[in-house]
């Protein structure tokens, strides 16, 4: 009866993520009816049936504690959707996801910021959303400010920040959660060279602590460096899953073949 | 989590050991007890989880309210004072229009002398409802950045908007006290402890607004037309609420329209909130004061004065609370039924 919150009973106790036969349907964007006129017109014409589109088809993988997995594939393949399913923002149409431990989703930095509010207010709001208590927040506020190097700008409304500053603040907040699983969506290239190095150092530190990563990136070197495993998704299907070097090689070969095809017409 | 799993394993082991020397009946009982223990543990865990979620959501709502109150008037010169000045200016406009242009219907001569208070009370109570719902309406869509990137409860946004409207309402109340002071100096109002009774129905008003906010914000994710529609509806609703007139205007008059209006206005929940608020804040005590004066001069107080001086009873409060609770229940049901689809529409 009270099991609804339990997503944590793993099949294998060493695993932190178990994704089993996950499929996901979306309704097509152009078919979206969001006003009443459209709704009634379609209702009368009998055209309200929804066009489903399968975004993910039968995806399975598992991740052990301390391991990292890279998700690769072309844009729109469904990688970000998979991250959202893992972090429980979206519910899969079929299949199940089990996770163990605190998940910190680093999806699109700064997306949740209110640009009218100051940096400080945004830190507090985002901290609350990530589940900090008030006391924790006050302690961590200093750390976040120091890491983001924005000491002089915390009382300035975010709309006056540069995009790099926003990304830095977002990264500093998200990385400070002390998660067991970190979901990273193409954000490891924020800020200037200096800050990027700092991020890399922080990620190394977390890896040493045994944090597991799920990384979406188009940078194969980064994936090879950080991950032991890779999952290659193409057109919502799994094209390859296994050791990182093999999969990356396959993917690169596939990309090269597409480029060749384009060249030859 | 891991502690719990360990505990579970330990108890399992213990039963296995003991089961060798037990009769089948004892075994059955032991199994039952085991199940009971497990379900109790599960319940405890569930409770702990719910508590954690509750604390988390409380923190989020608090930060949202602080942020919205701070941001609202950030770039204005007099800042937060707008929340006080706004209802005052509104009252002034209404006073200029309705006290001279149309004359007023209903009410006693005491109501005539305290007409500014009459307007202001109606205005701030209705304004609270309007601000809460109108801001909550697009709240899910405006915060799509947060909702699509984080695992969080959807209802924190309507809740935060309703609460920040309550905060604004508290500031408006200061304006009301200021005007009341002026009217008191003129000798037409009386300060009394009755004013504290206004606090009694604030939770009911909050529940009413919250329920409405839930329904509206849920519908808005599906149909963006709701915003334009609701905007017009709010204007209509304002005119159907006795803010600048009195319900007694329609009483005892002939004609279908009068009767129809009377029923519509009486069925409007805001009428009762506004009337209650007005009565406890100044109207009853002002009339009681007038009666005292009349009696002191040897006159007999007219019955409508005695009626106006009677404080709203338990029945009224119960009715207001039922309105609030029904609204929240409907809101919660609509919200629960639709929330799985929000993420695809915002």
């Amino acid at each position: 009866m009270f099991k609804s919150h339990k997503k944590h009973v793993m099949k294998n106790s060493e695993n932190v993520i178990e994704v089993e036969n996950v499929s996901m349907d979306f309704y097509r964007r152009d078919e979206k009816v969001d006003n009443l006129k459209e709704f009634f017109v379609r209702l009368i014409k009998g055209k309200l049936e929804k066009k489903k589109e399968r975004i993910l088809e039968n995806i399975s993988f598992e991740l052990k504690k301390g391991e990292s997995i890279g998700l690769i594939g072309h844009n729109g393949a469904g990688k970000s959707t998979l991250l959202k399913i893992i972090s429980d923002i979206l519910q899969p149409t079929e299949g199940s996801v089990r996770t163990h431990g605190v998940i910190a989703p680093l999806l699109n930095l700064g997306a949740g910021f209110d640009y009218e509010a100051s940096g400080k207010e945004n830190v507090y709001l985002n901290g609350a959303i990530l589940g900090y208590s008030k006391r924790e927040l006050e302690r961590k506020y200093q750390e976040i400010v120091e890491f983001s190097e924005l000491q002089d700008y915390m009382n300035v409304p975010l709309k006056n920040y540069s995009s790099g500053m926003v990304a830095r603040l977002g990264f500093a907040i998200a990385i400070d959660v002390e998660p067991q699983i970190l979901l990273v969506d193409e954000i490891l290239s924020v800020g200037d060279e200096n800050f990027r190095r700092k991020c890399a150092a922080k990620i190394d530190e977390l890896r040493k602590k045994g944090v597991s990563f799920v990384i979406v990136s188009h940078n194969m070197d980064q994936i090879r460096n950080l991950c032991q495993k890779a999952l290659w998704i193409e057109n919502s299907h799994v094209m390859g899953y296994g050791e990182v070097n093999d999969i990356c090689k396959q993917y690169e070969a596939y990309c090269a073949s597409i480029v060749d095809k384009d060249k030859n017409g | 989590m891991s502690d719990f799993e360990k505990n579970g394993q330990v108890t399992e082991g213990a039963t296995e050991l003991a089961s060798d020397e037990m009769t089948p009946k004892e075994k059955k009982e032991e199994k039952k007890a085991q199940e009971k223990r497990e379900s109790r543990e599960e319940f405890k865990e569930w409770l702990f989880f719910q508590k954690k979620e509750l604390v988390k959501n409380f923190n989020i709502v608090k930060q949202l309210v602080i942020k919205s109150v701070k941001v609202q008037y950030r770039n204005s010169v007099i800042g937060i004072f707008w929340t006080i000045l706004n209802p005052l200016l509104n009252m002034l406009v209404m006073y200029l229009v309705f006290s001279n242009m149309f004359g007023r219907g209903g009410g006693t001569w005491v109501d005539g002398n305290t007409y500014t208070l009459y307007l202001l009370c109606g205005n701030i109570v209705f304004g609270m409802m309007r601000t809460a719902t109108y801001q909550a309406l697009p709240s899910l869509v405006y915060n799509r950045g947060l909702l699509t990137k984080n695992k969080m409860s959807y209802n924190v946004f309507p809740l935060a908007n309703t609460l920040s409207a309550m905060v604004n309402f508290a500031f408006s109340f200061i304006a009301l006290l200021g005007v009341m002071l002026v009217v008191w100096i003129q000798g037409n109002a009386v300060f009394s402890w009755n004013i504290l009774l206004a606090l009694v129905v604030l939770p009911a008003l909050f529940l009413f607004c919250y329920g409405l906010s839930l329904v509206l914000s849920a519908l808005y994710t599906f149909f963006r037309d709701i915003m334009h529609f609701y905007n017009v509806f709010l204007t209509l609703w304002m005119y159907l609420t006795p803010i600048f007139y009195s319900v007694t205007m329609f009483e005892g008059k002939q004609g279908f329209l009068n009767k129809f209006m009377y029923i519509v206005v009486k069925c409007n929940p805001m009428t009762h909130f506004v009337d209650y608020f007005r009565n406890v804040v100044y109207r009853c005590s002002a009339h009681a004061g007038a009666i005292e004066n009349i009696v002191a001069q040897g006159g007999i107080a007219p019955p409508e004065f005695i009626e106006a001086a009677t404080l709203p009873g338990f029945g009224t409060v119960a009715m207001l609370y039922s309105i609030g609770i029904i609204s929240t229940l409907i809101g919660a049901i609509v919200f629960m039924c639709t929330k799985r689809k929000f993420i695809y529409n915002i």
Side-chain angles (χ1 to χ4, degrees), chain B residues 163-179:
Chain B
L163 282 173
S164 57
M166 294 286 271
V167 173
N168 282 346
F169 178 75
F171 281 111
S172 309
F173 200 80
I174 297 173
L176 177 65
L177 288 179
V179 173

Side-chain angles (χ1 to χ4, degrees), chain A residues 34-36 114 121 129, chain B residues 56 67 70 74 224-225:
Chain A
D34 70 351
N35 63 66
L36 279 170
D114 182 340
E121 283 151 18
I129 287 166
Chain B
K56 181 184 159 186
K67 192 193 76 182
K70 272 187 182 171
R74 173 150 283 160
R224 303 293 145 94
D225 315 45

Side-chain angles (χ1 to χ4, degrees), chain A residues 36-52:
Chain A
L36 279 170
K37 190 199 89 194
E38 196 99 326
F39 182 81
F40 284 119
V41 166
R42 275 163 200 273
L43 194 70
I44 290 162
K45 284 184 181 169
K47 279 189 177 173
L48 208 67
E49 94 264 33
K50 292 154 179 170
K51 266 193 187 165
K52 274 184 192 172

Side-chain angles (χ1 to χ4, degrees), chain A residues 2 8 23 26 29 58 99 156 171 178 192 212 223 254 259:
Chain A
F2 303 109
H8 316 289
S23 297
F26 259 23
R29 282 265 159 206
N58 210 7
T99 55
V156 178
F171 189 84
E178 293 171 10
D192 49 23
S212 300
I223 297 269
Y254 175 79
V259 172

Side-chain angles (χ1 to χ4, degrees), chain B residues 27-308:
Chain B
K27 257 189 202 171
K28 226 179 191 177
E29 270 170 16
E30 181 63 30
K31 206 179 170 189
K32 249 186 196 170
Q34 170 87 14
E35 268 170 18
K36 218 175 181 182
R37 258 203 304 277
E38 268 173 19
S39 69
R40 201 177 299 150
E41 284 290 338
E42 225 158 56
F43 178 69
K44 260 187 202 166
E45 207 185 321
W46 179 81
L47 217 61
F48 178 73
F49 176 80
Q50 294 298 328
K51 197 185 132 204
K52 222 172 82 182
E53 282 291 291
L54 206 68
V55 170
K56 181 184 159 186
N57 285 338
F58 175 79
N59 279 329
I60 296 174
V61 169
K62 199 174 85 181
Q63 294 302 335
L64 281 172
V65 172
I66 292 173
K67 192 193 76 182
S68 78
V69 172
K70 272 187 182 171
V71 167
Q72 204 171 8
Y73 298 106
R74 173 150 283 160
N75 288 324
S76 57
V77 181
I78 60 169
I80 201 86
F81 289 106
W82 272 114
T83 41
I84 300 174
L85 203 59
N86 222 348
L88 279 180
L89 292 176
N90 257 326
M91 177 202 74
L92 202 66
V93 171
M94 283 188 138
Y95 184 76
L96 291 176
V97 173
F98 293 111
S99 69
N100 295 325
M101 274 164 83
F102 294 111
R104 297 173 309 276
T108 60
W109 56 262
V110 176
D111 285 328
N113 288 337
T114 53
Y115 191 54
T116 42
L117 282 175
Y118 192 89
L119 285 173
L120 193 56
C121 279
N123 216 349
I124 66 174
V125 173
F126 191 83
M128 137 89 205
M129 192 280 297
R130 179 172 41 202
T131 321
T133 52
Y134 198 66
Q135 281 179 358
L137 175 71
S139 60
L140 290 175
V141 175
Y142 283 179
N143 287 296
R144 65 168 87 82
L146 284 175
L147 288 171
T148 54
K149 307 293 174 203
N150 290 290
K151 172 75 186 158
M152 57 193 297
S153 308
Y154 294 101
N155 61 342
V156 291
F157 294 105
L159 185 59
N161 279 308
T162 313
L163 282 173
S164 57
M166 294 286 271
V167 173
N168 282 346
F169 178 75
F171 281 111
S172 309
F173 200 80
I174 297 173
L176 177 65
L177 288 179
V179 173
M180 211 167 150
L181 195 69
V182 174
V183 181
W184 176 69
I185 290 167
Q186 288 173 344
N188 292 320
V190 182
F191 278 95
S192 84
W193 291 112
N194 291 344
I195 210 166
L196 291 179
L197 285 173
L199 294 175
V200 173
V201 294
L202 275 189
L205 181 60
F206 165 77
L207 288 175
F208 177 69
C209 297
Y210 180 48
L212 209 55
S213 299
L214 285 177
V215 173
L216 289 169
S217 61
L219 286 179
Y220 187 66
T221 61
F222 298 107
F223 302 111
R224 303 293 145 94
D225 315 45
I226 297 287
M227 190 156 191
H228 307 288
F229 174 74
Y230 189 63
N231 209 353
V232 177
F233 181 74
L234 269 178
T235 314
L236 177 70
W237 198 355
M238 197 196 83
Y239 285 116
L240 292 179
T241 309
I243 293 173
F244 53 83
Y245 59 87
S246 163
V247 198
T248 52
M249 197 171 93
F250 305 113
E251 268 171 18
K253 279 190 187 168
Q254 290 305 310
F256 172 73
L257 198 66
N258 272 318
K259 279 180 182 156
F260 178 72
M261 281 297 286
Y262 180 73
I263 291 166
V264 169
V265 173
K266 270 287 183 188
C267 288
N268 171 8
M270 285 314 288
T271 303
H272 302 285
F273 280 110
V274 165
D275 273 347
Y276 177 91
F277 192 73
R278 231 175 232 150
N279 284 336
V280 298
V281 167
Y282 80 91
R283 198 158 173 262
C284 288
S285 48
H287 279 90
I291 290 172
E292 259 175 45
N293 280 343
I294 292 169
V295 172
Q297 285 162 13
I300 297 162
E304 68 259 31
F305 271 60
I306 294 165
E307 197 192 323

Side-chain angles (χ1 to χ4, degrees), chain A residues 49-61:
Chain A
E49 94 264 33
K50 292 154 179 170
K51 266 193 187 165
K52 274 184 192 172
E53 194 175 27
R54 200 137 257 219
I55 298 283
L56 291 172
E57 177 85 57
N58 210 7
I59 308 272
S60 303
F61 74 87

